[in-house]
Amino acid sequence: MNSIKEFINGNKERYISELKEFLKFPSISTNPENKKDVYQCAEYVKWHLDKIGMENVTIYPTKGHPIVYADWLNAGEGKPTILIYGHYDVQPVDPVNLWTSPPFEPAIRGENIYARGSADDKGQVFIHFKALEAHFKQNDTLPVNIKLIIEGEEEIGSVNLEDFIAQHKDLLKCDVVVISDTAMYDKDIPAIGYALRGLCYMQVELAGPNRDLHSGQFGGSVENPINALANMITKLKNKNGKILIDGFYDDVLPLSNKEKEEFKKLPFSDEKYAESLGVAELFGEEGYSTLERIWARPTLDCNGIWGGFTGEGAKTVLPSKAYAKISMRLVPNQHPDKIEKLFTEFIYKIAPQSVKVKVYGLHHGKPAITPVNSKWVKAAFDSLKKGFGKEPVFIREGGSIPIVVTFKELLGADTVLLGFGLPDENAHSPDEHLNLNNFQNGIITASLFYNELAKL
Ligand code: BES
Ligand code: ZN
């Protein structure tokens, strides 16, 4: 086993230069103008998987962006089959002027590689590619059967993946799913995730007068839809951070006392956290600690709001329309479809007669909880301990990976969340980066993990 670790450590520079090639594709799934780039990135994934020795590498087109599948199933009698899931699509880069170096020109500064997708999720997907490659190069074989699906629509809610899984149940049949698309707890504290929040993402549109009006000639006589929308948004939550939508909390699974105790044992400082975010004080739902708020409580946030005049300088206008994008992070056992219905009803209830309202869902994801006592988790625990030289902690995750629940429902497989990012690596924001030591230790951990799984 030492030899594979030595091999991995001897290839650090090559890994980084190859990762840079992967990071150069502007595979922004939500931008129609990047459709071709997303496709080319899928072709790169296929090419790379072929190159390292995977078999049956196939690009499956979907109604949206393609899914790349690969497998290697020659581990022999009795060996488990591991399905590795990840995504090659990335979030938009705006505001691009806030990036220190261009988002698709990967740059090394200090211990980090900077580029959109470096942490979320190309860098973490690449960790598995390189761990598999190391096994092939060192041993000409893999210790377990591996299936990979790397999709191009995770950042837009995995809109076509569920159908794909439903249509390819045999192809994807596996004993366990492994996902590296989450974060460690802290720089030197590896972690195993056991819960993800879900998402219900809504758009609200208000129409007032039939055209933009001179705010002097008409102002005061007719409702301004932006004012009305702002008013409505303030009715969604009270000043103690409680969401006021009727029935919103009905299905929330409360945290057990044991979990609360476990959270308390983790090193965490509200002061340092506030300081790192540049805020004078924290704000959240009354009665819950920061980790509880992030990991185990639902939220409601306005992601964007627009309408009227937003250019430079001033224009006196009473706008005809107002828009807002509002998302809710959900926790077990809330269901996004039910929350969409409750949200929609509430919006109609609080809207003034003076505006026309349109509400619709953009994308959704179900919250997930995964078992912590399985043999798979034990294998992950042992390999993280060896790979990072530190015992991992068990954490929940505030983010969402919608497909985790689908894997359970359609394939009957549990997921192990083996994350190698860090919470402060700016996923979804400017200057996203990945710590290269974690990248390297991640490759070692993943290669050890496949060995551990082979023992089961
Ligand atoms: N990698 C994230 C999910 C994540 C981030 C999990 C941090 C745990 C900690 C993933 O790529 C992501 O961003 N997912 C979206 C899903 C949404 C579009 C349905 C999210 O959470 O916003
Ligand atoms: Zn993401």
Side-chain angles (χ1 to χ4, degrees):
M1 197 55 230
N2 260 346
S3 68
I4 205 166
K5 192 172 166 183
E6 277 159 26
F7 174 84
I8 291 169
N9 281 334
N11 278 272
K12 200 168 171 177
E13 294 312 313
R14 177 173 66 86
Y15 293 160
I16 295 170
S17 74
E18 289 180 6
L19 173 61
K20 281 184 179 171
E21 294 308 308
F22 190 18
L23 294 173
K24 281 182 190 166
F25 293 91
S27 49
I28 306 170
S29 47
T30 198
N31 282 353
E33 64 269 29
N34 289 108
K35 195 165 168 69
K36 206 168 150 216
D37 301 306
V38 180
Y39 193 82
Q40 284 172 350
C41 192
E43 284 182 323
Y44 171 85
V45 171
K46 176 185 185 302
W47 171 82
H48 202 88
L49 289 170
D50 272 324
K51 191 177 83 146
I52 65 173
M54 295 299 296
E55 298 176 346
N56 300 311
V57 190
T58 311
I59 295 184
Y60 285 93
T62 71
K63 274 184 261 160
H65 302 299
I67 295 162
V68 187
Y69 171 86
D71 63 27
W72 188 93
L73 305 171
N74 313 312
E77 190 89 4
K79 296 292 178 200
T81 301
I82 317 304
L83 177 65
I84 300 172
Y85 162 86
H87 62 97
Y88 66 84
D89 65 319
V90 299
Q91 287 276 341
V93 294
D94 55 288
V96 73
N97 58 315
L98 295 184
W99 286 74
T100 308
S101 49
F104 296 110
E105 292 173 28
I108 313 279
R109 290 194 291 281
E111 288 181 354
N112 304 314
I113 184 163
Y114 288 79
R116 172 58 86 233
S118 51
D120 183 7
D121 177 33
K122 288 174 177 170
Q124 299 203 57
V125 163
F126 217 64
I127 283 174
H128 286 282
F129 290 2
K130 294 298 102 176
L132 294 168
E133 183 195 63
H135 276 282
F136 281 128
K137 289 221 174 189
Q138 283 299 96
N139 313 321
D140 269 335
T141 181
L142 298 178
V144 284
N145 300 311
I146 295 282
K147 297 179 177 180
L148 280 153
I149 41 174
I150 313 297
E151 72 151 319
E153 299 189 315
E154 195 275 347
E155 299 291 7
I156 50 171
S158 298
V159 268
N160 291 295
L161 188 58
E162 190 162 333
D163 280 351
F164 178 81
I165 296 172
Q167 287 157 15
H168 296 87
K169 279 193 195 170
D170 280 336
L171 183 75
L172 301 174
K173 196 170 174 298
C174 61
D175 294 296
V176 67
V177 179
V178 175
I179 302 182
S180 296
D181 188 24
T182 54
M184 296 170 39
Y185 181 67
D186 204 353
K187 197 161 178 326
D188 296 307
I189 312 182
I192 295 174
Y194 68 90
L196 292 154
R197 289 198 288 190
L199 191 71
C200 174
Y201 201 128
M202 306 293 298
Q203 181 145 328
V204 180
E205 303 185 358
L206 258 54
N210 58 11
R211 61 193 190 276
D212 282 3
L213 302 172
H214 188 294
S215 67
Q217 280 177 317
F218 295 91
S221 69
V222 60
E223 178 70 282
N224 175 330
I226 299 183
N227 293 1
L229 182 56
N231 244 315
M232 288 164 64
I233 290 171
T234 63
K235 295 197 171 114
L236 297 173
K237 243 161 124 170
N238 74 11
K239 66 177 190 340
N240 297 324
K242 187 166 183 286
I243 295 157
L244 301 174
I245 297 168
D246 304 309
F248 184 84
Y249 291 97
D250 283 359
D251 300 324
V252 169
L253 186 73
L255 267 174
S256 68
N257 286 336
K258 181 164 183 295
E259 263 185 296
K260 282 179 181 253
E261 288 312 311
E262 292 299 324
F263 289 7
K264 273 193 207 138
K265 286 186 204 155
L266 296 168
F268 190 87
S269 150
D270 273 352
E271 287 70 39
K272 283 198 192 130
Y273 183 71
E275 196 188 309
S276 76
L277 300 177
V279 294
E281 66 174 32
L282 299 178
F283 172 75
E285 191 185 358
E286 199 174 46
Y288 296 91
S289 73
T290 303
L291 287 179
E292 289 169 0
R293 287 171 179 170
I294 303 174
W295 288 348
R297 296 298 298 170
T299 63
L300 183 149
D301 280 292
C302 196
N303 296 248
I305 176 162
W306 72 103
F309 178 68
T310 55
E312 235 174 270
K315 173 189 175 194
T316 47
V317 61
L318 200 161
S320 148
K321 303 239 165 54
Y323 305 83
K325 289 184 187 285
I326 298 172
S327 72
M328 289 155 280
R329 290 282 165 183
L330 311 178
V331 299
N333 296 319
Q334 288 178 299
H335 195 292
D337 293 345
K338 179 171 171 192
I339 295 295
E340 166 167 344
K341 190 166 166 279
L342 295 177
F343 177 89
T344 306
E345 284 166 3
F346 193 73
I347 287 289
Y348 281 110
K349 186 173 112 180
I350 61 176
Q353 289 294 316
S354 48
V355 291
K356 284 194 219 79
V357 183
K358 213 162 107 187
V359 185
Y360 53 93
L362 291 175
H363 58 230
H364 294 350
K366 291 178 197 158
I369 245 182
T370 60
V372 283
N373 290 322
S374 69
K375 56 185 178 179
W376 318 110
V377 168
K378 170 89 173 59
F381 188 94
D382 293 343
S383 11
L384 277 168
K385 194 171 157 186
K386 283 187 210 150
F388 283 81
K390 266 252 169 95
E391 275 205 1
V393 294
F394 287 89
I395 62 172
R396 286 192 178 214
E397 299 278 1
S400 310
I401 305 178
I403 213 63
V404 169
V405 173
T406 312
F407 285 135
K408 182 71 184 171
E409 287 173 353
L410 295 181
L411 304 178
D414 286 317
T415 293
V416 178
L417 298 169
L418 191 65
F420 300 109
L422 286 174
D424 62 356
E425 286 183 332
N426 293 347
H428 298 202
S429 12
D431 280 350
E432 177 179 350
H433 56 278
L434 178 70
N435 182 293
L436 288 169
N437 298 325
N438 294 341
F439 174 65
Q440 190 68 12
N441 288 337
I443 299 170
I444 295 168
T445 302
S447 76
L448 296 170
F449 185 42
Y450 311 147
N451 282 338
E452 290 295 327
L453 292 167
K455 294 180 198 159
L456 301 176

